[in-house]
Amino acid sequence: MSQSTYPARQTVETAIDSVAHLLTWADIASLINKLTGLHQEDGEWIEHVDSGSGSSYWERRVSREATWTNPRSMCYPHEWDEHLDDASGKKFWHNRTHRTNSWDDPKAHMPGWAQRVDEESKAAYWHHEGTGETSWDLLEVQIKREEERKAAAEEELHKLKTEALERKKVEEELKEKERQRVEEAKARLKKSQARQLEAMKAADINSGKPIKDNDNLTCDSSLHTLLVDPSVTAKIKAEADAKGDLIPEVFINGEPVSNETVNITAVVKAAGEAFKTLITAKNPSNPNAKVSFGEMAVEVRINDEVVSSAKINLKPDNSLLLPDKLCFVNGINGQQLGSENKTVVITFDEEKLEVKNVGSELEIPKKVWTKTDGPVSILVECDGYRQKTLNFHKYDNVKRQGADVKVALDPNAKKGEEFDHRFILTWGMKPSDLDIHAMRSDGEHIYFSKKNSEARNGKRVSMALDVDEQNGKGPETMTISTRKGMEYVFYVYNYSKDAPMTKSEGVVHHTDMRFTEPKQYTVPKEMGADKRHYWWICKIYGDGGVVDLQQLETKPPSVENGKISVD
């Protein structure tokens, strides 16, 4: 009988090779086990070396049965050919696949099979001690089993291939969604920058405060003006006539401005026959960016030509300044934290200061104020709560104005409590009442008038307003459990309107349960935004994706055709 009649091994090995890039090692191992039959119900074989002879032998893990013949070879008796040794006249067997020889008949050492004699016919037959099967020809039994293994292995291969292709499809879809979300975030930032430019174009050329060498430029979106060098007026006049207002490039200390680290926008406008540069600075696009403040050289360039320049002191907005004191509260119920064991680690000027057994308040140690200006990172660790990092900036020993900073800590999830996202809002004294809102793509809207979404099977499954604070500072807390196929949007509304949102010094800490550290959002500072009372924070997808919005609007987000619209 030719070897090609039994193509199980070749068929499956070839098939495995064709899809190996889709399968995990566990998948491949499963197929090999099914093909070779080494992992049967009575355990697997382990190779040992006999200390006396130095030869290999195999022992079954469970039954402790031992054999000198490799069980992998036993599984394919049809691959062995019987020969006669010319020198000794004895029979031996040669394996065509492995090119090995054996004096023992492989069929005589089949696991579980023993040769017996039929009492009636006195002929030899084979009996399996475990299953009770009998056969006159063990080779036929083994061929049948191999064919069964072949069919099982091919079925398993088809299943694994289908699952692998499905996994690959899902991964590609997730990558595409992530790509789209990155593009959406970039487009949103570009839109925000364009809106800032439009506001500056619309601004009165004389409304900005003139800025000269050594003057302050604060990151609060206030408008300033820089003189344009008269020597370049003629060069840019033609462009201004053709294009109107000119959008220049801004350089800090000779490097192009990155909105990730400091957000400075400029517009060159005609003022009669002359020109002026309107310039403004605001918080960086990345709220966790390490911003360098202080003395720096600003240049405004058009076609690589410097049209305006000054040496300025870039100052952080009040919301970024280091406060005098921190006050700790429970982010879920707003109650003051006093007796809990808290440790605060303050990192500044390449130095760490650890303060243990902190009570309900922490006054920033004097040692911090004596160090050089720069970023100050404050890590708060408290038993029973998720750790939180706060980022401030020490600048010229100027302390944050207004109320002390309230630090709302997020309690660890209790047993049986499951959620995906939690948002904790804190702010200053004014506006007196900010409200957090969460909206879902099926129209569900959670805020102070409806604090909980519907429940299923006795569990809260979607959104809940845990704390509603109406007298300034916060916290207000929203907990969200997402559903696949749904979209969510989180935003803050200036309910009291007794001060603009831009003056609120609002901070939102977003806990995404996939990550250890919460993300921090601060109120965007935009020109002409005093009447925009809606602060759009982020959009969340049911599969876990998050897109930052970070924009001030005159209306809330909406739901259109089962989707959250944030345009």
Side-chain angles (χ1 to χ4, degrees), residues 127-147:
H127 174 264
H128 192 282
E129 297 175 358
T131 64
E133 293 177 80
T134 59
S135 176
W136 295 108
D137 189 343
L138 188 58
L139 179 60
E140 290 182 0
V141 173
Q142 199 61 29
I143 291 173
K144 178 182 177 183
R145 289 199 170 182
E146 183 182 335
E147 292 297 332

Side-chain angles (χ1 to χ4, degrees), residues 73-138:
S73 301
M74 296 180 192
C75 293
Y76 297 93
H78 62 276
E79 295 181 352
W80 293 85
D81 297 320
E82 183 179 321
H83 296 276
L84 189 66
D85 180 50
D86 294 335
S88 65
K90 293 182 180 179
K91 292 181 181 179
F92 72 93
W93 284 261
H94 175 74
N95 188 291
R96 297 191 300 273
T97 301
H98 300 288
R99 300 183 183 277
T100 57
N101 297 319
S102 173
W103 293 107
D104 298 318
D105 183 352
K107 293 187 293 183
H109 295 279
M110 293 294 296
W113 291 90
Q115 198 170 37
R116 295 185 180 180
V117 176
D118 180 56
E119 295 181 358
E120 188 173 322
S121 64
K122 307 302 180 181
Y125 71 95
W126 296 91
H127 174 264
H128 192 282
E129 297 175 358
T131 64
E133 293 177 80
T134 59
S135 176
W136 295 108
D137 189 343
L138 188 58

Side-chain angles (χ1 to χ4, degrees), residues 170-189 487 539 541 543 545-549 563 566-567:
V170 170
E171 289 172 0
E172 290 175 348
E173 289 175 350
L174 289 175
K175 287 180 180 178
E176 176 61 20
K177 286 181 181 179
E178 185 61 27
R179 186 196 66 77
Q180 292 175 359
R181 290 163 190 170
V182 170
E183 292 300 318
E184 181 182 346
K186 289 180 179 178
R188 195 161 298 283
L189 177 59
E487 297 178 357
K539 183 178 179 181
Y541 293 85
D543 62 11
V546 178
V547 174
D548 294 343
L549 303 178
K563 300 287 184 181
V566 288
D567 295 325

Side-chain angles (χ1 to χ4, degrees), residues 244-258:
D245 298 332
L246 298 174
I247 311 303
E249 289 185 282
V250 181
F251 288 73
I252 295 291
N253 295 332
E255 296 293 331
V257 163
S258 167

Side-chain angles (χ1 to χ4, degrees), residues 531-550:
K531 301 297 182 181
R532 298 180 196 153
H533 299 302
Y534 293 88
W535 172 19
W536 296 5
I537 306 294
C538 64
K539 183 178 179 181
I540 301 173
Y541 293 85
D543 62 11
V546 178
V547 174
D548 294 343
L549 303 178
Q550 277 297 82

Side-chain angles (χ1 to χ4, degrees), residues 251-265:
F251 288 73
I252 295 291
N253 295 332
E255 296 293 331
V257 163
S258 167
N259 289 330
E260 284 288 305
T261 55
V262 59
N263 203 323
I264 297 180
T265 308

Side-chain angles (χ1 to χ4, degrees), residues 339-394:
S339 60
E340 290 81 358
N341 182 25
K342 288 184 290 297
T343 298
V344 177
V345 179
I346 305 175
T347 304
F348 58 97
D349 195 22
E350 298 183 353
E351 185 175 346
K352 285 188 177 182
L353 178 63
E354 184 176 78
V355 185
K356 295 185 177 182
N357 301 320
V358 177
S360 60
E361 296 180 349
L362 173 67
E363 189 170 329
I364 301 300
K366 292 181 180 179
K367 184 177 181 179
V368 179
W369 296 106
T370 64
K371 295 296 181 177
T372 57
D373 290 349
V376 178
S377 174
I378 300 180
L379 171 65
V380 182
E381 297 176 322
C382 180
D383 290 347
Y385 293 81
R386 294 173 70 88
Q387 68 180 35
K388 175 173 286 189
T389 299
L390 309 171
N391 295 310
F392 298 103
H393 203 95
K394 178 183 175 294

Side-chain angles (χ1 to χ4, degrees), residues 22 143 233 290 392 495 520:
L22 297 174
I143 291 173
T233 300
K290 304 298 184 183
F392 298 103
Y495 183 84
Q520 176 177 309

